[in-house]
Amino acid sequence: MVQSDRVYRSGQMPAANLARAVRDHRIKTVLNLRGANPDQSWYPAERATTLAAGATQIDLSMASDMWLSRNQARTVLKVLDTCTYPILIHCQWGSERTGLVSAITELLRPGGSLADARRQFSLVYLYVKAGDGAVMERHLDRYEHWLKAGTLAHSPKQFRHWITQEFRPESPSREEWPYDPYPPVIITRPSPAASPTAQLAAEDSVSRQ
């Protein structure tokens, strides 16, 4: 749990465990940071379980060894601003990618601090600041450096400004690719009255398919 009755985190769960977590915590949104993987058995099982429970599935493709692109960072912000809570955030192991997005929820929380955000990267979540996965926590290092350089104090408003106006990824990131084959985000809702799949096609617009 990141924020009581609002933000939860985990690694990849079997469908039965996911169904139990969604039911017990009244989860309204499952944020999958592994992206859509229709050819792998875990993905259709997860999506079917999420929708059957009446929750929304959001698929956002992130890599634990790569910096967020500016588009990805703004997409994460938009997803967290517009999704229905409580939310369950997960990647494969629930450590690095999940740690970063969980940390972002703390930086957006009124009263949240950088210390709160850094606690999302801990051994409790099997996180070790070494190897490729350390890239995820370095986003917080970059934000803290920007605050210190401007003699600024953290606030949700300052963090939003940094993400939308000041953030520049280091290498490697998808901005170095000639093109990005992954959709920014895919949203699948359980309501039969709405179109089942939506894509956030640009950093500030939502297009439903």
Side-chain angles (χ1 to χ4, degrees), residues 56-142:
T56 294
Q57 173 94 7
I58 299 182
D59 302 314
L60 178 62
S61 177
M62 289 173 54
S64 61
D65 60 349
M66 299 188 72
W67 283 76
L68 295 178
S69 68
R70 281 169 284 186
N71 188 38
Q72 282 181 305
R74 293 165 187 165
T75 297
V76 169
L77 189 64
K78 189 172 184 69
V79 165
L80 295 175
D81 279 345
T82 59
C83 72
T84 304
Y85 290 83
I87 187 173
L88 172 66
I89 303 165
H90 85 83
C91 54
Q92 185 170 7
W93 304 112
S95 176
E96 298 157 348
R97 289 170 286 184
T98 297
L100 176 57
V101 177
S102 297
I104 290 173
T105 69
E106 287 291 84
L107 294 173
L108 294 174
R109 177 175 61 84
S113 67
L114 263 166
D116 294 326
R118 288 196 183 280
R119 275 192 281 274
Q120 299 307 312
F121 292 99
S122 89
L123 282 173
V124 172
Y125 304 113
L126 305 179
Y127 172 77
V128 178
K129 193 172 184 176
D132 293 340
V135 168
M136 297 290 96
E137 190 177 1
R138 285 173 60 196
H139 288 76
L140 301 190
D141 297 339
R142 173 68 73 84

